[in-house]
PDB file of all heavy atoms in Angstrom:
ATOM      1  N   MET A   4       7.432  -0.193 -11.966  1.00 98.00           N
ATOM      2  CA  MET A   4       7.493   1.221 -11.623  1.00 98.00           C
ATOM      3  C   MET A   4       8.896   1.558 -11.116  1.00 98.00           C
ATOM      4  O   MET A   4       9.434   0.844 -10.255  1.00 98.00           O
ATOM      5  CB  MET A   4       6.467   1.554 -10.549  1.00 98.00           C
ATOM      6  CG  MET A   4       5.044   1.097 -10.872  1.00 98.00           C
ATOM      7  SD  MET A   4       4.405   1.796 -12.393  1.00 98.00           S
ATOM      8  CE  MET A   4       4.252   3.523 -11.930  1.00 98.00           C
ATOM      9  N   SER A   7      12.820   7.836  -9.021  1.00 96.00           N
ATOM     10  CA  SER A   7      14.100   8.530  -8.902  1.00 96.00           C
ATOM     11  C   SER A   7      13.887   9.906  -8.276  1.00 96.00           C
ATOM     12  O   SER A   7      12.819  10.503  -8.427  1.00 96.00           O
ATOM     13  CB  SER A   7      14.764   8.665 -10.278  1.00 96.00           C
ATOM     14  OG  SER A   7      13.951   9.437 -11.143  1.00 96.00           O
ATOM     15  N   THR A  10      17.319   8.784  -3.119  1.00 97.00           N
ATOM     16  CA  THR A  10      17.364   9.681  -1.967  1.00 97.00           C
ATOM     17  C   THR A  10      17.529  11.105  -2.462  1.00 97.00           C
ATOM     18  O   THR A  10      18.300  11.353  -3.394  1.00 97.00           O
ATOM     19  CB  THR A  10      18.541   9.332  -1.027  1.00 97.00           C
ATOM     20  OG1 THR A  10      18.438   7.970  -0.615  1.00 97.00           O
ATOM     21  CG2 THR A  10      18.532  10.225   0.208  1.00 97.00           C
ATOM     22  N   LEU A  11      16.793  12.011  -1.849  1.00 97.00           N
ATOM     23  CA  LEU A  11      16.876  13.431  -2.192  1.00 97.00           C
ATOM     24  C   LEU A  11      17.066  14.216  -0.900  1.00 97.00           C
ATOM     25  O   LEU A  11      16.279  14.065   0.043  1.00 97.00           O
ATOM     26  CB  LEU A  11      15.599  13.878  -2.904  1.00 97.00           C
ATOM     27  CG  LEU A  11      15.556  15.325  -3.377  1.00 97.00           C
ATOM     28  CD1 LEU A  11      16.629  15.568  -4.436  1.00 97.00           C
ATOM     29  CD2 LEU A  11      14.177  15.674  -3.919  1.00 97.00           C
ATOM     30  N   ALA A  17      12.296  24.477   1.238  1.00 96.00           N
ATOM     31  CA  ALA A  17      12.588  24.372  -0.197  1.00 96.00           C
ATOM     32  C   ALA A  17      11.552  23.475  -0.878  1.00 96.00           C
ATOM     33  O   ALA A  17      10.646  22.932  -0.252  1.00 96.00           O
ATOM     34  CB  ALA A  17      13.991  23.836  -0.404  1.00 96.00           C
ATOM     35  N   ARG A  24       8.423   6.483 -13.059  1.00 98.00           N
ATOM     36  CA  ARG A  24       8.268   6.086 -14.456  1.00 98.00           C
ATOM     37  C   ARG A  24       7.696   4.679 -14.514  1.00 98.00           C
ATOM     38  O   ARG A  24       8.161   3.783 -13.803  1.00 98.00           O
ATOM     39  CB  ARG A  24       9.587   6.168 -15.193  1.00 98.00           C
ATOM     40  CG  ARG A  24       9.557   5.653 -16.625  1.00 98.00           C
ATOM     41  CD  ARG A  24      10.800   6.058 -17.377  1.00 98.00           C
ATOM     42  NE  ARG A  24      10.781   7.501 -17.671  1.00 98.00           N
ATOM     43  CZ  ARG A  24      11.771   8.132 -18.300  1.00 98.00           C
ATOM     44  NH1 ARG A  24      12.862   7.473 -18.655  1.00 98.00           N
ATOM     45  NH2 ARG A  24      11.688   9.432 -18.529  1.00 98.00           N
ATOM     46  N   SER A  26       6.783   1.184 -16.822  1.00 98.00           N
ATOM     47  CA  SER A  26       7.372   0.445 -17.938  1.00 98.00           C
ATOM     48  C   SER A  26       6.457   0.425 -19.160  1.00 98.00           C
ATOM     49  O   SER A  26       6.910   0.103 -20.259  1.00 98.00           O
ATOM     50  CB  SER A  26       7.689  -0.987 -17.502  1.00 98.00           C
ATOM     51  OG  SER A  26       6.522  -1.668 -17.080  1.00 98.00           O
ATOM     52  N   GLN A  27       5.186   0.765 -18.979  1.00 97.00           N
ATOM     53  CA  GLN A  27       4.247   0.956 -20.076  1.00 97.00           C
ATOM     54  C   GLN A  27       3.193   1.948 -19.599  1.00 97.00           C
ATOM     55  O   GLN A  27       3.115   2.243 -18.402  1.00 97.00           O
ATOM     56  CB  GLN A  27       3.617  -0.370 -20.508  1.00 97.00           C
ATOM     57  CG  GLN A  27       2.781  -1.033 -19.441  1.00 97.00           C
ATOM     58  CD  GLN A  27       2.370  -2.448 -19.827  1.00 97.00           C
ATOM     59  OE1 GLN A  27       3.162  -3.383 -19.755  1.00 97.00           O
ATOM     60  NE2 GLN A  27       1.137  -2.597 -20.243  1.00 97.00           N
ATOM     61  N   HIS A  32      -3.597   6.529 -14.092  1.00 97.00           N
ATOM     62  CA  HIS A  32      -3.898   5.642 -12.958  1.00 97.00           C
ATOM     63  C   HIS A  32      -2.682   5.448 -12.079  1.00 97.00           C
ATOM     64  O   HIS A  32      -2.112   4.349 -11.991  1.00 97.00           O
ATOM     65  CB  HIS A  32      -4.458   4.330 -13.486  1.00 97.00           C
ATOM     66  CG  HIS A  32      -5.704   4.514 -14.299  1.00 97.00           C
ATOM     67  ND1 HIS A  32      -6.022   3.702 -15.367  1.00 97.00           N
ATOM     68  CD2 HIS A  32      -6.689   5.449 -14.213  1.00 97.00           C
ATOM     69  CE1 HIS A  32      -7.165   4.119 -15.890  1.00 97.00           C
ATOM     70  NE2 HIS A  32      -7.580   5.175 -15.210  1.00 97.00           N
ATOM     71  N   ALA A  34      -0.898   6.608  -8.237  1.00 98.00           N
ATOM     72  CA  ALA A  34      -1.070   7.157  -6.888  1.00 98.00           C
ATOM     73  C   ALA A  34       0.285   7.344  -6.223  1.00 98.00           C
ATOM     74  O   ALA A  34       1.263   6.666  -6.574  1.00 98.00           O
ATOM     75  CB  ALA A  34      -1.944   6.230  -6.051  1.00 98.00           C
ATOM     76  N   TYR A  36       2.047   7.649  -2.241  1.00 98.00           N
ATOM     77  CA  TYR A  36       1.884   7.420  -0.817  1.00 98.00           C
ATOM     78  C   TYR A  36       3.107   7.957  -0.086  1.00 98.00           C
ATOM     79  O   TYR A  36       4.220   7.924  -0.606  1.00 98.00           O
ATOM     80  CB  TYR A  36       1.762   5.917  -0.500  1.00 98.00           C
ATOM     81  CG  TYR A  36       0.564   5.249  -1.144  1.00 98.00           C
ATOM     82  CD1 TYR A  36       0.619   4.827  -2.463  1.00 98.00           C
ATOM     83  CD2 TYR A  36      -0.607   5.058  -0.432  1.00 98.00           C
ATOM     84  CE1 TYR A  36      -0.480   4.231  -3.059  1.00 98.00           C
ATOM     85  CE2 TYR A  36      -1.704   4.444  -1.016  1.00 98.00           C
ATOM     86  CZ  TYR A  36      -1.629   4.037  -2.338  1.00 98.00           C
ATOM     87  OH  TYR A  36      -2.719   3.443  -2.919  1.00 98.00           O
ATOM     88  N   GLN A  38       5.292   7.462   3.535  1.00 98.00           N
ATOM     89  CA  GLN A  38       5.481   6.602   4.696  1.00 98.00           C
ATOM     90  C   GLN A  38       6.541   7.203   5.598  1.00 98.00           C
ATOM     91  O   GLN A  38       7.721   7.266   5.240  1.00 98.00           O
ATOM     92  CB  GLN A  38       5.876   5.176   4.299  1.00 98.00           C
ATOM     93  CG  GLN A  38       5.887   4.230   5.502  1.00 98.00           C
ATOM     94  CD  GLN A  38       6.187   2.797   5.128  1.00 98.00           C
ATOM     95  OE1 GLN A  38       6.920   2.513   4.186  1.00 98.00           O
ATOM     96  NE2 GLN A  38       5.608   1.862   5.872  1.00 98.00           N
ATOM     97  N   ASP A  57      -7.768  15.591   3.142  1.00 96.00           N
ATOM     98  CA  ASP A  57      -6.932  16.194   4.195  1.00 96.00           C
ATOM     99  C   ASP A  57      -5.457  16.328   3.829  1.00 96.00           C
ATOM    100  O   ASP A  57      -4.634  16.608   4.706  1.00 96.00           O
ATOM    101  CB  ASP A  57      -7.054  15.424   5.513  1.00 96.00           C
ATOM    102  CG  ASP A  57      -8.456  15.494   6.102  1.00 96.00           C
ATOM    103  OD1 ASP A  57      -9.153  16.493   5.848  1.00 96.00           O
ATOM    104  OD2 ASP A  57      -8.848  14.534   6.792  1.00 96.00           O
ATOM    105  N   ASP A  70       5.268   8.851 -17.365  1.00 98.00           N
ATOM    106  CA  ASP A  70       6.117   9.719 -16.546  1.00 98.00           C
ATOM    107  C   ASP A  70       5.287  10.609 -15.624  1.00 98.00           C
ATOM    108  O   ASP A  70       4.394  11.329 -16.084  1.00 98.00           O
ATOM    109  CB  ASP A  70       7.016  10.571 -17.431  1.00 98.00           C
ATOM    110  CG  ASP A  70       8.071   9.738 -18.133  1.00 98.00           C
ATOM    111  OD1 ASP A  70       8.938   9.176 -17.445  1.00 98.00           O
ATOM    112  OD2 ASP A  70       8.004   9.632 -19.366  1.00 98.00           O
ATOM    113  N   PHE A  71       5.652  10.554 -14.338  1.00 98.00           N
ATOM    114  CA  PHE A  71       4.880  11.230 -13.318  1.00 98.00           C
ATOM    115  C   PHE A  71       5.809  11.944 -12.330  1.00 98.00           C
ATOM    116  O   PHE A  71       6.957  11.538 -12.141  1.00 98.00           O
ATOM    117  CB  PHE A  71       4.012  10.225 -12.554  1.00 98.00           C
ATOM    118  CG  PHE A  71       3.048   9.493 -13.437  1.00 98.00           C
ATOM    119  CD1 PHE A  71       3.436   8.333 -14.095  1.00 98.00           C
ATOM    120  CD2 PHE A  71       1.768   9.974 -13.642  1.00 98.00           C
ATOM    121  CE1 PHE A  71       2.556   7.659 -14.923  1.00 98.00           C
ATOM    122  CE2 PHE A  71       0.881   9.312 -14.470  1.00 98.00           C
ATOM    123  CZ  PHE A  71       1.280   8.154 -15.115  1.00 98.00           C
ATOM    124  N   THR A  74       5.435  16.784  -6.491  1.00 98.00           N
ATOM    125  CA  THR A  74       6.125  17.997  -6.056  1.00 98.00           C
ATOM    126  C   THR A  74       5.624  18.396  -4.686  1.00 98.00           C
ATOM    127  O   THR A  74       4.409  18.390  -4.437  1.00 98.00           O
ATOM    128  CB  THR A  74       5.896  19.149  -7.045  1.00 98.00           C
ATOM    129  OG1 THR A  74       6.389  18.772  -8.334  1.00 98.00           O
ATOM    130  CG2 THR A  74       6.609  20.406  -6.584  1.00 98.00           C
ATOM    131  N   LEU A  78       8.909  22.599   1.942  1.00 95.00           N
ATOM    132  CA  LEU A  78       8.969  21.405   2.777  1.00 95.00           C
ATOM    133  C   LEU A  78       8.867  21.716   4.267  1.00 95.00           C
ATOM    134  O   LEU A  78       9.561  22.591   4.792  1.00 95.00           O
ATOM    135  CB  LEU A  78      10.268  20.660   2.503  1.00 95.00           C
ATOM    136  CG  LEU A  78      10.283  19.800   1.237  1.00 95.00           C
ATOM    137  CD1 LEU A  78      11.700  19.486   0.822  1.00 95.00           C
ATOM    138  CD2 LEU A  78       9.478  18.530   1.462  1.00 95.00           C
ATOM    139  N   GLU A  81       7.626  17.483   8.827  1.00 95.00           N
ATOM    140  CA  GLU A  81       6.882  16.221   8.772  1.00 95.00           C
ATOM    141  C   GLU A  81       6.858  15.611   7.374  1.00 95.00           C
ATOM    142  O   GLU A  81       6.372  14.493   7.193  1.00 95.00           O
ATOM    143  CB  GLU A  81       5.450  16.425   9.273  1.00 95.00           C
ATOM    144  CG  GLU A  81       4.616  17.413   8.488  1.00 95.00           C
ATOM    145  CD  GLU A  81       4.667  18.825   9.044  1.00 95.00           C
ATOM    146  OE1 GLU A  81       5.698  19.191   9.663  1.00 95.00           O
ATOM    147  OE2 GLU A  81       3.661  19.548   8.853  1.00 95.00           O
ATOM    148  N   TYR A  87       6.240   6.580  -2.188  1.00 98.00           N
ATOM    149  CA  TYR A  87       6.060   5.486  -3.137  1.00 98.00           C
ATOM    150  C   TYR A  87       5.003   5.857  -4.177  1.00 98.00           C
ATOM    151  O   TYR A  87       3.971   6.433  -3.835  1.00 98.00           O
ATOM    152  CB  TYR A  87       5.575   4.217  -2.420  1.00 98.00           C
ATOM    153  CG  TYR A  87       6.549   3.617  -1.454  1.00 98.00           C
ATOM    154  CD1 TYR A  87       6.499   3.925  -0.099  1.00 98.00           C
ATOM    155  CD2 TYR A  87       7.535   2.720  -1.886  1.00 98.00           C
ATOM    156  CE1 TYR A  87       7.388   3.374   0.810  1.00 98.00           C
ATOM    157  CE2 TYR A  87       8.438   2.165  -0.979  1.00 98.00           C
ATOM    158  CZ  TYR A  87       8.356   2.505   0.354  1.00 98.00           C
ATOM    159  OH  TYR A  87       9.249   1.953   1.242  1.00 98.00           O
ATOM    160  N   GLN A  89       2.397   4.115  -7.078  1.00 98.00           N
ATOM    161  CA  GLN A  89       1.682   2.857  -7.306  1.00 98.00           C
ATOM    162  C   GLN A  89       0.818   3.008  -8.543  1.00 98.00           C
ATOM    163  O   GLN A  89       0.104   4.002  -8.694  1.00 98.00           O
ATOM    164  CB  GLN A  89       0.775   2.522  -6.120  1.00 98.00           C
ATOM    165  CG  GLN A  89      -0.115   1.308  -6.314  1.00 98.00           C
ATOM    166  CD  GLN A  89      -1.583   1.551  -6.017  1.00 98.00           C
ATOM    167  OE1 GLN A  89      -1.937   2.462  -5.268  1.00 98.00           O
ATOM    168  NE2 GLN A  89      -2.456   0.738  -6.590  1.00 98.00           N
ATOM    169  N   PRO A  96      -0.709  -7.771 -10.759  1.00 93.00           N
ATOM    170  CA  PRO A  96      -0.547  -7.283  -9.395  1.00 93.00           C
ATOM    171  C   PRO A  96      -0.565  -5.756  -9.318  1.00 93.00           C
ATOM    172  O   PRO A  96      -0.250  -5.080 -10.305  1.00 93.00           O
ATOM    173  CB  PRO A  96       0.852  -7.788  -9.041  1.00 93.00           C
ATOM    174  CG  PRO A  96       1.588  -7.730 -10.343  1.00 93.00           C
ATOM    175  CD  PRO A  96       0.576  -8.048 -11.410  1.00 93.00           C
ATOM    176  N   HIS A  97      -0.944  -5.238  -8.164  1.00 95.00           N
ATOM    177  CA  HIS A  97      -0.700  -3.830  -7.886  1.00 95.00           C
ATOM    178  C   HIS A  97       0.810  -3.681  -7.738  1.00 95.00           C
ATOM    179  O   HIS A  97       1.424  -4.452  -7.007  1.00 95.00           O
ATOM    180  CB  HIS A  97      -1.362  -3.416  -6.571  1.00 95.00           C
ATOM    181  CG  HIS A  97      -2.854  -3.447  -6.617  1.00 95.00           C
ATOM    182  ND1 HIS A  97      -3.593  -2.502  -7.294  1.00 95.00           N
ATOM    183  CD2 HIS A  97      -3.738  -4.309  -6.080  1.00 95.00           C
ATOM    184  CE1 HIS A  97      -4.884  -2.779  -7.154  1.00 95.00           C
ATOM    185  NE2 HIS A  97      -5.007  -3.877  -6.437  1.00 95.00           N
ATOM    186  N   LYS A 104      13.478   8.329  -0.810  1.00 98.00           N
ATOM    187  CA  LYS A 104      13.602   8.871   0.537  1.00 98.00           C
ATOM    188  C   LYS A 104      13.923  10.352   0.466  1.00 98.00           C
ATOM    189  O   LYS A 104      14.893  10.755  -0.194  1.00 98.00           O
ATOM    190  CB  LYS A 104      14.699   8.138   1.312  1.00 98.00           C
ATOM    191  CG  LYS A 104      14.851   8.621   2.741  1.00 98.00           C
ATOM    192  CD  LYS A 104      15.935   7.849   3.475  1.00 98.00           C
ATOM    193  CE  LYS A 104      16.093   8.311   4.902  1.00 98.00           C
ATOM    194  NZ  LYS A 104      17.154   7.563   5.616  1.00 98.00           N
TER     195      LYS A 104
END
Side-chain angles (χ1 to χ4, degrees):
Chain A
M4 308 301 292
S7 62
T10 303
L11 182 64
R24 175 167 288 178
S26 60
Q27 63 190 77
H32 301 147
Y36 298 82
Q38 188 176 32
D57 295 332
D70 291 295
F71 300 87
T74 300
L78 281 161
E81 61 267 28
Y87 295 95
Q89 174 231 336
H97 293 286
K104 182 179 180 180

